[in-house]
Structure formats: structure tokens, C-alpha cells
Amino acid sequence: MNEEFTDSITMLGTGAPTEHQRAVAKEIIESLVFDNAPIDIAGQLLDIAKGEREEWRGYTRAWPKDAPANPLIVEFFKATDTKPEGDTTAWCAASLNWFILKSHEGRAGGSNMLKPTKSASSGSFRTWGTQAVKFDPNSPLEGTVVQDPQVGDIVVFNQTNADGSPHLYKGHVAFFLDMDKNRIRVLGGNQYEGNPVVHAINVKWIPKDGFLKAHSIRTDKSLHS
């Protein structure tokens, strides 16, 4: 099941959103409080995803292929150097970049904080910040703890090639919440949910060792209040 979180391209909304849809996305963004840690900004959208504002809920997930591109997701890519093809470009790393960037803009001293990667590739976070936990690619259940991970750190997963080697840039990134021996609980974007399945902002348990393999947990003071 964890194959669902990869940076692969899937056929989702590609049409131009209406003026009303753009206005709603702008209203959602303007409702957010940015003088918070990045995970807290993501958490505000998670609250919307859970139905805090029912009329906004659909904007926390990618739209079907026969629909316009979700303008909120397209907005995330403004924090990267990637121009998305509507909703078809995987957006886990774009949303993470956006949360970090908005947190910097909203907090005193943000201009001096570690900049986001500006890449829509999850692999760009493999060397970002410092390493709190390192996972052995051949045995990711046994992580080497450099320092205890904190809620709000960044979890990086590698996608594996057919021969078992890590893909150069594909995988998944999200905010760390918790972990047990076999799984890591994360808050992030572009994560599957529901039936029929949609790409959404949500909380998921992701196995450490599967099609995706845990690479590392990254930390930096800019991730925390």
C-alpha cells in the first residue's frame, strides 16, 4: 500500500480553474496563520481537510482528471522552481517547501532561517538540514538515532528501483509525528485516502521498509517554534 506515496505522475486535474475556484483558494490561504512552525501551518490545512470548513475541504486534495487543477495545490509549486502540469505533478515536496517558506515569511528572523529546497523532488530533502535519524537502506527498521526526532521534523523516504537500489530522486517527504518499530506516522500532502482514492493532505502510517524505504529524518531549528 505504501507504493501510493511516490513522486510518480498520475492523471489528475489539468484544466484551468475558474475565477471562483481561484478566489476560494486565495481565501483559504488568507485564513492561515503563518507565524507558526511549518507543521503548524500544515496542521491548519489538515483541520480544513477534516471538515472544519466543509466548503473548503475539497481544496485539500487533488481533483479528478476531468476537473480543473486545484488552485491551492498549484499555489504550492510557487515555492519551487517547478512548473506543474496541473494536479498531475506529485506535490508532497512542493507543499513542504511552501509550508517552510510561509513559516519563514510569517516569523521574526525568518529571512535568516534555512531555506527550503525549492525543488518538487522529494529527493532534494535527503541532504536538507541535519540528520536526526539515519536508516540503513538494506535494513531500514534499524535506524541510527543521532538525536531524538521531534514532531515537525522531516521524514524522507526513497523509492526503490526494480533491482532494490534507491531511485535518484523519487520517494516521499512529510512531517514527522511518531514512529514504532515498523512504521513512521507522518503529516503530509499527496498522500492517498478514501475509496475511490484521492491524493490529499492527511496523516498516515507509512512502513519503513517497502516499495518506499525510510531514508532519514531531517531536522533544523527553523522547523520548530
Side-chain angles (χ1 to χ4, degrees), residues 42-80:
Q44 294 173 63
L45 288 177
L46 179 64
D47 288 339
I48 293 171
K50 291 178 177 179
E52 183 182 76
R53 288 281 298 269
E54 187 60 37
E55 69 273 23
W56 289 355
R57 188 177 184 187
Y59 287 79
T60 64
R61 54 190 64 183
W63 294 348
K65 64 181 180 181
D66 56 352
N70 182 334
L72 181 61
I73 292 174
V74 173
E75 177 72 19
F76 294 152
F77 283 90
K78 292 182 180 180
T80 75

Side-chain angles (χ1 to χ4, degrees), residues 117-149:
T117 68
K118 296 185 69 178
S119 171
S121 167
S122 61
S124 67
F125 281 92
R126 294 176 190 173
T127 57
W128 187 88
T130 59
Q131 191 167 245
V133 180
K134 176 183 179 181
F135 296 98
D136 183 340
N138 297 312
S139 184
L141 300 185
E142 304 299 328
T144 300
V145 179
V146 180
Q147 64 185 74
D148 290 336

Side-chain angles (χ1 to χ4, degrees), residues 5 7 92-93 96 117 121-137 140 153-159 166-176 184 186 206-209 212-219 223:
F5 302 102
D7 291 334
C92 62
L96 212 65
T117 68
S121 167
S122 61
S124 67
F125 281 92
R126 294 176 190 173
T127 57
W128 187 88
T130 59
Q131 191 167 245
V133 180
K134 176 183 179 181
F135 296 98
D136 183 340
D153 285 345
I154 292 174
V155 186
V156 185
F157 295 90
N158 285 340
Q159 179 178 322
H167 195 282
L168 286 177
Y169 60 88
K170 289 184 179 180
H172 184 60
V173 285
F175 291 114
F176 173 82
I184 305 176
V186 297
I206 304 180
K208 295 177 183 176
D209 190 5
L212 292 177
K213 293 183 184 292
H215 172 276
S216 60
I217 299 177
R218 320 298 304 183
T219 191
L223 294 173

Side-chain angles (χ1 to χ4, degrees), residues 141-211:
L141 300 185
E142 304 299 328
T144 300
V145 179
V146 180
Q147 64 185 74
D148 290 336
Q150 302 179 61
V151 171
D153 285 345
I154 292 174
V155 186
V156 185
F157 295 90
N158 285 340
Q159 179 178 322
T160 54
N161 295 315
D163 63 1
S165 62
H167 195 282
L168 286 177
Y169 60 88
K170 289 184 179 180
H172 184 60
V173 285
F175 291 114
F176 173 82
L177 295 175
D178 192 11
M179 67 177 169
D180 59 23
K181 179 174 176 55
N182 299 306
R183 308 170 299 169
I184 305 176
R185 186 168 173 256
V186 297
L187 163 57
N190 200 40
Q191 300 186 157
Y192 276 22
E193 71 178 27
N195 185 19
V197 168
V198 294
H199 301 248
I201 295 170
N202 59 26
V203 172
K204 301 286 287 190
W205 281 101
I206 304 180
K208 295 177 183 176
D209 190 5
F211 179 76

Side-chain angles (χ1 to χ4, degrees), residues 15-28 56 59 63 67-72:
T18 66
E19 287 301 316
H20 173 72
Q21 289 165 339
R22 290 192 182 97
V24 173
K26 184 173 184 285
E27 186 180 4
I28 292 170
W56 289 355
Y59 287 79
W63 294 348
N70 182 334
L72 181 61

